Amino acid sequence: MAAGCGGTSDAAVPGAEGPDAKGPTSASGVSPLPVRALHREAERARRWLESGAWRPDAADAEAAARVLARLTAPLPRRGAARARARAVDRDRRLQRIWRSAVHHLDAGAVSPPAAALLAAVARAYVPWYGTPNPPPAAAAPRYPGPSGSAAPGGTAAHRAATRDAADRPEALPTDAGEALLPALTDIFTALATPAPPGTGGRHPAAVPWRARYAGRFRHYGRPARHVWTADTFRCPGCSNADGPWTVFCDWRRVTLGCPCGVTTDRHGLSFSEVFLVLPDA
């Protein structure tokens, strides 16, 4: 499965209000979360579930249950003297939410509206893709997001994964990330309940999505433990690697259009490798 998005109320995801992540950082150096897509997709999901337009099938319910387990995971009990360890625990929980959302997004088993919601969750939590546990190889993905003060430093892998962090804030928006949990828990609780026996699943058509992107797309693989590969996608017609690409997504596949006129969906990229590097608009 390779990697869509209308307006909604900010109330769909309480605690996520704030300027675009591309905007200025706060005085503390903490960048706001990229939650525009999450506002949209969470409101759509809530409306569809309440109206019955979306009755989750078994695949949607299973993926939602796995993400829900991460959303509701309790933190380990720590004494007052373990404040630093507790800070790492908080970020580890958010990192696991990100990883679970990406795993089920890229697995290709869920319906298009579930894929759109999972992608929006992954985008919101992208600051934690490498924090507190960075990917163990220099070729691992580097998505936009703060480097994170809680991430262990000193390793070559971590330095390689964050060498472009000079212009990023050092602090993670952990409070903002946790503020998303209650509303997301409500949505994923509803999604984790499959359609009643005899009724079957039903899902609405996801909203197609189009964007322009100037830059490189990288396809990442992990053929073995602690082994990563990374390849740059190039246009099969002219070998252009930098775009600007016209990206179209119907939440079943992503197509990339090159300025030379070639359009292809045979790029090998996953939804996350496309969606997480695009502007949050």
Side-chain angles (χ1 to χ4, degrees):
M1 191 174 186
C5 302
T8 69
S9 165
D10 285 353
V13 189
E17 294 79 8
D20 190 342
K22 298 289 186 182
T25 60
S26 66
S28 64
V30 177
S31 177
L33 290 175
V35 292
R36 290 184 179 182
L38 185 56
H39 287 323
R40 287 191 296 268
E41 299 306 331
E43 175 60 19
R44 282 193 183 118
R46 182 193 61 78
R47 188 170 62 247
W48 285 334
L49 290 167
E50 289 179 352
S51 68
W54 189 0
R55 290 201 303 257
D57 59 18
D60 287 355
E62 180 181 359
R66 299 292 182 87
V67 176
L68 180 63
R70 299 301 193 187
L71 291 168
T72 57
L75 294 174
R77 295 186 178 275
R78 304 283 191 188
R82 304 295 300 276
R84 183 173 181 181
R86 185 168 181 83
V88 173
D89 289 338
R90 294 173 71 198
D91 286 321
R92 183 172 288 119
R93 176 169 61 183
L94 301 182
Q95 183 182 65
R96 287 171 176 169
I97 293 169
W98 184 87
R99 289 179 176 174
S100 185
V102 168
H103 171 78
H104 292 288
L105 169 68
D106 289 342
V110 299
S111 67
L117 180 60
L118 287 169
V121 171
R123 180 191 286 282
Y125 285 106
V126 71
W128 287 274
Y129 85 93
T131 303
N133 302 315
R142 282 183 285 165
Y143 297 115
S147 59
S149 56
T155 67
H158 178 63
R159 285 197 303 271
T162 58
R163 66 164 59 105
D164 61 343
D167 61 345
R168 299 192 235 145
E170 289 302 315
L172 283 165
T174 304
D175 289 342
E178 291 190 332
L180 300 175
L181 298 182
L184 288 176
T185 297
D186 289 344
I187 292 170
F188 278 86
T189 297
L191 272 173
T193 305
T199 60
R202 177 172 67 196
H203 59 78
V207 178
W209 177 79
R210 185 184 301 272
R212 294 274 287 176
Y213 176 70
R216 295 194 169 196
F217 286 112
R218 299 273 282 172
H219 177 252
Y220 297 93
R222 193 177 185 183
R225 183 174 173 81
H226 300 314
V227 177
W228 289 82
T229 60
D231 299 299
T232 298
F233 170 73
R234 295 181 180 275
C235 171
C238 67
S239 296
N240 166 42
D242 298 301
W245 310 101
T246 299
V247 185
F248 179 78
C249 172
D250 64 1
W251 295 109
R252 293 192 181 278
R253 64 180 57 85
V254 171
T255 59
L256 301 178
C258 179
C260 76
V262 171
T263 299
T264 181
D265 61 3
R266 300 179 64 83
H267 42 65
L269 299 169
S270 64
F271 275 142
S272 60
E273 289 161 353
V274 174
F275 192 74
L276 296 182
V277 301
L278 296 172
D280 188 31

